[in-house]
Amino acid sequence: MDSVDPTRAFVNRVKRIVVKVGTAVVTRGDGRLALGRLGALCEQLKDINAQGYEVILVTSGAVGLGRQRLRYRRLANSSFADLQNPQNDFDGKACAAVGQSSLMALYDTIYFLSSANVNLAIFNMQLDVTSSQLLVTDSVFRDEAFRKQLSETVKSLLKLRVVPIFNENDAVSTRKAPYEFCLQDSSGIFWDNDSLAGLLALELKADLLVLLSDVEGLYDGPPTDPKSKLIHTYVKEIHHGEITFGDKSRVGRGGMTAKVNAAVCAAYGGIPVVITSGYATDNIKKVLRGDRIGTVFHQDAHLWTLVKEEGARDLAVSARESSRQLRALGSKDRRKILLDVADALVANEGQIIAENEADIAVAQENGYEKALISRLALKPGKACTLLLAKLKLKPIAALATSIRKLADMEEPIGRVLQKTELAEGLVLEKVSCPLGVLLVVFESRPDALVQIASLAIQSRNGLLLKGGKEAKRSNAILHKVITSAIPENVGGKLIGLVNTRDEIPDLLKLDDVIDLVIPRGSNKLVSQIKESTKIPVLGHADGICHVYIDKSANKEMAKRIVLDAKTDYPAACNAMETLLVHKDLVTDDGGFKQIISGLQGLGVTLYGGPKASTVLNIPETSSFHHEYSSLACSVEIVDDVTAAINHIHEHGSAHTDCIVTEDHEVAETFLSQVDSAAIFHNASTRFCDGARFGLGAEVGISTSRIHARGPVGVEGLLTTRWILRGNGQVVDSDRGVKYTHKDLLTST
């Protein structure tokens, strides 16, 4: 099957489908049967049955057909026999009794006349009474033996390509009130054909439930209002309580309220549901093709992007508008938001960890690399300072602590960076301000979402996040928890979450709305983004970090630094990937060999350059420009510091590079000539981290040479603007203006 909308991808796995058609679809406005629509419905079912789908139909319409046949004088003068509650109206029950068999005979006739060669099996689902048909009481679905027999019977019929047709028998029901519909263990009970369809879909293990209505689907307002929009994907966490429904169906008992209730129950029971119009002649086929029609209900809907609901531009514009509301708040209010976010994370720790563990389990089942799974896991101290790691805080507590630290940092917005008197009474200020809207695309690490979101709040930027599919559950719950802590006066769209790559091309075109793109991931990802947008891109493609051990290095110090740089967290972008060693150390008293044996003792696989592979008798590396992100690294022997610098420039990624030496002149040569974002002397490359630098958090590490470089904290998410204060001065070709250009900032 061709590629479909990500929110409809489940149709690729559909084999068994339950279709429910309501009274409003099978009848006309005057109460007579809509034979044309009924015929078109049967034609669709015939076609999909022939395609190999297993089709089950739940139908209404018996009362309407019975009324048409009886034509009682009293019924003719009534408002369609009070069809909203036919069980409580004896005329309605008479209609149901007469119409039940007539409706089934009509289906049989339509299929016969269409030469469909489709066999039908009729089930009248009846309450409170037993007869020769398959009749059930209101509690029969709690009978495990009945449920098993029902499943076996339907299974046998479907194997024979028979279309089972279900309907509730209203004629003899004694219920006077609706029953609760529950799907937790498929032991619920029904009170209309919508809930009956949902219950059957779960009990018969359907792959899809389609509820046909007299409108296109669920709208955010009255369907007749031109301003109302069709909701393509129902998200319980967003739409529940936000949408109100009008009157019930003009003829049936349920209406949209019943359909939504049944759809939500079935969807959260694991059955995808689509509510769409039954008036169209081919909507069931369109649903099975994956066309974006109707409203879909799915248990994973909260994990899907909402971008397509409002459009990429609308999402970005909403983020910008919310950021402007955030800028209007004072420092205390901004601080409170961050503290509320930290508290919300702690309060929802159990749910967050459960979702993260679910992501890890799926990644392991799919055979993902250990390095990716390591980055996927939320870990204590991973996004925090060394102090947090020493305190052995739980992962969420550690993240919360880092946010609280960020909240207590100096206000970054509105700082006067430069203040100049241009002329008497004319003062110019250069002040810090937010960039605007950020688009951050990252892979694997869900803790990055927390850091990035907190930095966006601190810097008062709007934010759009695209996380990797391997962390979709972790990202979804973290996003939900964080945005729930943002006050309404700022808006819930300050931070948007995009979960599929399909929307990224549209977002990358919005150079008039999005101000900066920050990709965090593979070289391929970063390169693709840079090639696909006019928006400035900040980030790094690879973390090819080097440690060079000079001939004057302290051997014990060198060993500690090398082992830490490689093994403390091998999957990190600041982990050592290449070890360079001065040639004189190869023949010394064994310090070099101790370092090599120390790495191998910790399970590190070594790959040598042309020289090192011969000396150490290890496999030769295929490329020095390789980020292992695991317990593996390259080793090479160089002549001196100049050779080490040249090697780094040729094979490195300008991320983080380190020299271990006691010769300060050699150290200064290295520090001044290596063109990387971070250059260290006698310290592990693992220190290149926003939290360890005291930035509170980081949005990423940039190897760009424009705007920001190295770990990017709040400062890297700011720009500047000029504010000029005067007393009515005009240029007038500079006549009468005496420029002083006096520096007021340093003079005060």
Side-chain angles (χ1 to χ4, degrees):
M1 185 175 289
D2 295 337
S3 177
V4 298
D5 185 297
T7 64
R8 306 300 174 100
F10 59 83
V11 300
N12 292 324
R13 300 182 294 275
V14 171
K15 174 68 174 177
R16 181 174 297 178
I17 175 175
V18 174
V19 177
K20 185 268 175 181
V21 56
T23 305
V25 175
V26 300
T27 60
R28 303 185 308 186
D30 61 1
R32 296 174 180 268
L33 283 182
L35 294 177
R37 284 199 293 271
L38 205 55
L41 169 67
C42 292
E43 188 71 21
Q44 286 190 82
L45 299 184
K46 176 203 73 172
D47 290 344
I48 63 177
N49 181 271
Q51 293 171 17
Y53 290 99
E54 297 176 347
V55 184
I56 300 165
L57 178 64
V58 178
T59 183
S60 300
V63 177
L65 183 57
R67 179 181 187 274
Q68 181 180 340
R69 295 194 62 184
L70 289 174
R71 297 187 182 279
Y72 280 172
R73 182 181 303 276
R74 178 182 173 188
L75 297 180
N77 294 328
S78 67
S79 58
F80 207 4
D82 188 20
L83 295 180
Q84 299 282 5
N85 287 289
Q87 297 95 332
N88 299 327
D89 186 279
F90 288 107
D91 291 335
K93 291 182 180 295
C95 290
V98 172
Q100 198 76 264
S101 58
S102 300
L103 179 63
M104 300 310 156
L106 182 59
Y107 275 114
D108 197 35
T109 301
I110 291 175
Y111 278 114
F112 176 77
L113 293 177
S114 68
S115 300
N117 194 28
V118 174
N119 293 313
L120 306 177
I122 313 301
F123 292 82
N124 285 321
M125 307 308 291
Q126 176 178 312
L127 304 182
D128 297 327
V129 176
T130 301
S131 74
S132 60
Q133 293 179 324
L134 179 57
L135 307 177
V136 296
T137 65
D138 61 309
S139 60
V140 73
F141 272 92
R142 293 194 177 97
D143 186 337
E144 185 175 351
F146 166 81
R147 287 156 49 197
K148 182 178 180 181
Q149 184 59 52
L150 175 66
S151 297
E152 290 299 322
T153 300
V154 172
K155 183 178 179 180
S156 298
L157 292 170
L158 293 174
K159 283 184 177 180
L160 297 171
R161 314 305 304 162
V162 175
V163 177
I165 299 181
F166 288 83
N167 186 23
E168 180 183 357
N169 191 341
D170 296 317
V172 293
S173 176
T174 60
R175 276 183 295 103
K176 297 183 179 180
Y179 288 101
E180 180 182 2
F181 176 50
C182 173
L183 278 174
Q184 275 84 359
D185 58 359
S186 74
S187 63
I189 47 184
F190 58 88
W191 77 281
D192 58 31
N193 279 330
D194 291 310
S195 55
L196 170 60
L199 192 59
L200 287 171
L202 185 68
E203 184 60 42
L204 300 176
K205 295 180 173 57
D207 303 306
L208 174 65
L209 168 62
V210 177
L211 300 176
L212 297 178
S213 177
D214 55 355
V215 292
E216 291 299 323
L218 179 63
Y219 287 80
D220 61 1
T224 55
D225 187 343
K227 297 181 180 179
S228 297
K229 294 182 180 180
L230 178 65
I231 298 172
H232 288 288
T233 303
Y234 180 91
V235 181
K236 186 177 180 181
E237 290 80 0
I238 295 175
H239 297 122
H240 181 68
E242 296 295 323
I243 301 173
T244 57
F245 305 101
D247 296 334
K248 295 181 179 180
S249 167
R250 60 178 172 83
V251 287
R253 277 177 292 145
M256 189 55 72
T257 301
K259 287 179 175 58
V260 171
N261 288 340
V264 169
C265 289
Y268 279 81
I271 309 297
V273 183
V274 176
I275 298 178
T276 189
S277 173
Y279 284 11
T281 57
D282 57 354
N283 267 4
I284 301 175
K285 293 181 180 179
K286 288 181 178 179
V287 168
L288 291 173
R289 279 204 310 260
D291 290 4
R292 199 163 179 260
I293 64 169
T295 302
V296 65
F297 295 71
H298 197 283
Q299 63 180 355
D300 290 336
H302 65 291
L303 303 177
W304 297 341
T305 176
L306 298 179
V307 173
K308 288 195 173 182
E309 289 292 334
E310 53 181 336
R313 174 171 292 276
D314 290 338
L315 190 75
V317 169
S318 295
R320 183 177 294 280
E321 291 174 351
S322 293
S323 72
R324 287 170 177 161
Q325 297 297 322
L326 182 60
R327 294 179 207 176
L329 300 181
S331 297
K332 290 184 178 179
D333 292 328
R334 183 268 311 161
R335 179 177 181 274
K336 184 178 185 304
I337 293 175
L338 286 172
L339 294 179
D340 288 345
V341 168
D343 292 342
L345 289 172
V346 173
N348 292 275
E349 179 178 20
Q351 190 175 359
I352 294 170
I353 295 300
E355 294 295 282
N356 183 241
E357 290 175 347
D359 280 333
I360 294 172
V362 172
Q364 291 172 335
E365 290 175 5
N366 293 335
Y368 285 9
E369 294 180 357
K370 291 182 178 180
L372 185 145
I373 295 174
S374 179
R375 290 193 296 269
L376 182 59
L378 289 168
K379 293 181 178 179
K382 182 176 176 182
C384 311
T385 63
L386 290 176
L387 176 60
L388 293 177
K390 288 181 179 179
L391 293 175
K392 297 183 179 179
L393 293 176
K394 292 182 178 180
I396 304 306
L399 289 171
T401 301
S402 68
I403 295 175
R404 294 187 181 105
K405 180 179 179 180
L406 184 67
D408 290 334
M409 294 179 68
E410 180 184 358
E411 172 60 59
I413 304 300
R415 283 189 295 147
V416 179
L417 307 175
Q418 184 177 328
K419 188 173 184 180
T420 306
E421 179 191 77
L422 300 186
E424 186 178 354
L426 194 62
V427 177
L428 178 68
E429 292 179 342
K430 182 180 182 180
V431 300
S432 61
C433 66
L435 281 170
V437 177
L438 316 173
L439 170 60
V440 181
V441 183
F442 62 101
E443 296 177 340
S444 303
R445 294 178 52 179
D447 64 309
L449 185 150
V450 179
Q451 295 186 62
I452 296 166
S454 59
L455 283 170
I457 296 172
Q458 172 78 339
S459 61
R460 292 171 170 79
N461 283 298
L463 177 62
L464 304 179
L465 291 162
K466 163 63 180 74
K469 63 181 181 181
E470 65 280 353
K472 66 177 184 178
R473 292 185 178 276
S474 304
N475 292 337
I477 185 60
L478 287 169
H479 175 262
K480 178 182 177 182
V481 170
I482 290 171
T483 54
S484 67
I486 298 175
E488 293 183 2
N489 60 332
V490 173
K493 297 182 179 180
L494 175 71
I495 302 172
L497 180 64
V498 182
N499 280 319
T500 67
R501 291 196 175 191
D502 293 353
E503 291 79 23
I504 295 299
D506 292 334
L507 291 168
L508 291 176
K509 296 175 184 177
L510 302 178
D511 55 304
D512 59 329
V513 184
I514 296 175
D515 301 285
L516 183 67
V517 180
I518 305 175
R520 293 180 53 162
S522 66
N523 183 48
K524 180 180 178 181
L525 171 67
V526 177
S527 299
Q528 286 178 340
I529 288 178
K530 286 183 176 180
E531 294 170 359
S532 305
T533 187
K534 297 178 181 179
I535 306 170
V537 177
L538 182 148
H540 74 275
D542 296 310
I544 314 297
C545 301
H546 299 76
V547 174
Y548 166 58
I549 306 177
D550 187 55
K551 64 180 180 180
S552 65
N554 179 295
K555 307 304 186 298
E556 282 302 316
M557 178 192 295
K559 182 178 180 180
R560 289 199 310 272
I561 290 174
V562 168
L563 296 185
D564 180 80
K566 180 68 260 182
T567 66
D568 179 64
Y569 183 30
C573 63
N574 57 15
M576 181 190 74
E577 302 294 9
T578 298
L579 171 63
L580 300 176
V581 182
H582 193 287
K583 63 180 181 180
D584 290 355
L585 296 180
V586 178
T587 58
D588 70 359
D589 58 359
F592 172 56
K593 293 182 179 179
Q594 289 182 14
I595 294 174
I596 296 301
S597 61
L599 287 169
Q600 292 175 328
L602 293 175
V604 179
T605 302
L606 301 178
Y607 299 93
K611 296 178 182 179
S613 59
T614 301
V615 172
L616 298 174
N617 192 27
I618 57 177
E620 186 169 346
T621 181
S622 58
S623 172
F624 280 117
H625 191 89
H626 181 71
E627 186 174 12
Y628 295 95
S629 299
S630 63
L631 286 174
C633 70
S634 301
V635 182
E636 184 56 314
I637 299 167
V638 295
D639 290 341
D640 52 24
V641 67
T642 301
I645 293 170
N646 291 338
H647 181 103
I648 291 170
H649 288 164
E650 182 178 355
H651 302 289
S653 61
H655 191 293
T656 304
D657 298 294
C658 160
I659 182 173
V660 184
T661 182
E662 295 299 303
D663 188 325
H664 291 284
E665 184 177 344
V666 171
E668 289 305 316
T669 299
F670 187 91
L671 296 175
S672 62
Q673 294 186 20
V674 171
D675 187 17
S676 296
I679 312 100
F680 297 166
H681 176 207
N682 290 348
S684 170
T685 57
R686 290 282 292 123
F687 278 105
C688 189
D689 175 85
R692 294 185 175 94
F693 277 15
L695 304 181
E698 69 176 31
V699 73
I701 295 179
S702 171
T703 55
S704 302
R705 289 170 172 78
I706 298 177
H707 178 63
R709 207 172 182 195
V712 180
V714 172
E715 295 290 337
L717 304 181
L718 303 179
T719 185
T720 58
R721 56 180 182 158
W722 296 96
I723 296 177
L724 182 63
R725 294 183 172 90
N727 294 310
Q729 292 91 336
V730 296
V731 174
D732 191 23
S733 299
D734 288 331
R735 288 191 292 259
V737 180
K738 184 178 180 180
Y739 290 99
T740 59
H741 293 147
K742 181 180 179 181
D743 183 0
L744 300 179
L745 193 62
T746 57
S747 62
T748 57

